Amino acid sequence: MSIDVAEGIEFPDTSDGNRWVAGAVITDGRGNAFTQRRSATRKVFPHCWDIVGGHVEEGEGMLDALAREIHEETGWRLASVEAELYRLDWDPGDGVTRREVDYLVRVDGDLADPTLEAEKHTEFMWVDETRVHLLRDARDPGDYFITDIVRKGLDAARALA
């Protein structure tokens, strides 16, 4: 499987001892971004809207983690990495800082029928710029960075079109 990576994107060294997170803003080519609701049983951000992504596993690079997380959480296959959108360090309250990098990506698969990861996600929603505010739900207002990431993805997709 070949994954196209846009010129200029450099993936971080995930073997540096930090706890890395890969995030994907998936767009549909019509101005919408894919989001999914985390289940109420999740330890971090329970019952909140999120993008696709997760922790980079031991011995795994950022691109491999991105492809794995996309497939695990949606059933789709990563086709291309279009842009780096956002980098942030955050701690969900357990004292371990996560270093997250979010990317705008394109995928192969039936965008109308994702296969959500059982027991981790309960529903999905495509949002455009007028619906990003719907992602602000049961979380602390300080944790609304999900809306910033989705907006950056929508803006980048528009700029690349």
Side-chain angles (χ1 to χ4, degrees), residues 32-85:
N32 299 297
F34 179 82
T35 60
Q36 56 190 352
R37 187 181 292 278
R38 297 168 65 86
S39 70
T41 59
R42 300 294 296 273
K43 186 169 75 172
V44 177
F45 303 128
H47 200 62
C48 290
W49 289 101
D50 203 359
I51 59 172
V52 172
H55 290 99
V56 176
E57 294 179 354
E58 183 75 30
E60 191 174 46
M62 184 63 75
L63 182 60
D64 292 332
L66 201 57
R68 177 184 51 76
E69 288 289 348
I70 289 168
H71 187 66
E72 285 176 359
E73 294 186 10
T74 66
W76 301 327
R77 298 281 180 190
L78 177 59
S80 63
V81 181
E82 305 287 318
E84 182 179 312
L85 300 173

